[in-house]
Amino acid sequence: MIFRVAALCVLVIAAPAAAQGFDLGVAGGVNFATLDETRQADLANSTGYHVGAYVDVSLPVAALRVGGYYLQAGDLETTSGAPVASAAFVTVPVDLLIQTPTPVVKAYVLVGPEVRFAVDTEGDVPQIDRASPNVAGNVGVGARFGSPLGGLSGFVEVRYARDLTAFAEDNVAGFETDNAYELSLFMLRAGIGL
């Protein structure tokens, strides 16, 4: 009888543990952007959004999260208010998560690169010559949740991203700036496992 109970306990624990190592989901949130060290240009709407999907591959104290997101950072304009371009991207972040080994809620810190592909938008905003892809770096903190027995999983996090390479060069739209166009973004993101 004891062996049957032990075998049943092993099965109940082993099946979710095997499934816990892989998580696919959707995520999104709000971002607050600033344009770094560029005179004669500014972001008209610094509040934007991002939405996409992610895959988590998890180990007890670490995880790798790869995602694909559409990110709208805002509209670039000259300091006099003339439109320059829309700052919109398809992003691919690759984050390393160092997490607590707790079973239900795992606090974590993240770090990793992000590749951004500029997206041309239609409308009244003229287009600029963009350097695509560009690279950003991410850091952040968050919490992952999920039952050891399976079911609902996901995460909430706060992250900071800074361009390491420019998404547009320093002489665009008929005027010169002192530096290339680089973004800094604070993001609030939530994800739900499927």
Side-chain angles (χ1 to χ4, degrees):
M1 181 70 175
I2 293 177
F3 290 106
R4 289 181 186 168
V5 172
L8 181 60
C9 288
V10 167
L11 288 175
V12 167
I13 293 170
Q20 187 178 4
F22 178 77
D23 190 21
L24 172 68
V26 294
V30 64
N31 39 265
F32 308 96
T34 57
L35 196 60
D36 293 346
E37 300 179 8
T38 304
R39 292 193 314 174
Q40 297 182 341
D42 203 355
L43 279 171
N45 302 317
S46 62
T47 303
Y49 66 92
H50 55 279
V51 63
Y54 70 91
V55 174
D56 270 351
V57 179
S58 184
L59 300 171
V61 295
L64 181 67
R65 179 180 297 145
V66 179
Y69 296 89
Y70 173 79
L71 185 144
Q72 174 54 258
D75 293 329
L76 292 171
E77 64 181 20
T78 65
T79 51
S80 62
V84 176
S86 175
F89 307 90
V90 171
T91 69
V92 181
V94 179
D95 298 325
L96 174 65
L97 283 62
I98 307 299
Q99 59 194 9
T100 59
T102 51
V104 177
V105 177
K106 297 176 185 279
Y108 63 84
V109 296
L110 69 87
V111 64
E114 178 174 294
V115 179
R116 293 186 184 153
F117 301 90
V119 177
D120 290 333
T121 58
E122 301 295 328
D124 298 333
V125 181
Q127 300 306 304
I128 61 175
D129 293 329
R130 301 175 195 235
S132 186
N134 72 303
V135 178
N138 290 303
V139 294
V141 296
R144 298 176 66 195
F145 57 87
S147 169
L149 301 176
L152 184 65
S153 67
F155 67 89
V156 292
E157 67 185 22
V158 177
R159 58 194 297 135
Y160 173 73
R162 177 162 169 52
D163 281 356
L164 302 175
T165 62
F167 71 89
E169 297 306 322
D170 58 359
N171 188 8
V172 295
F175 66 94
E176 291 191 22
T177 62
D178 290 343
N179 297 81
Y181 291 91
E182 296 176 353
L183 289 174
S184 292
L185 295 117
F186 280 99
M187 295 183 233
L188 304 174
R189 181 176 293 171
I192 297 293
L194 301 176

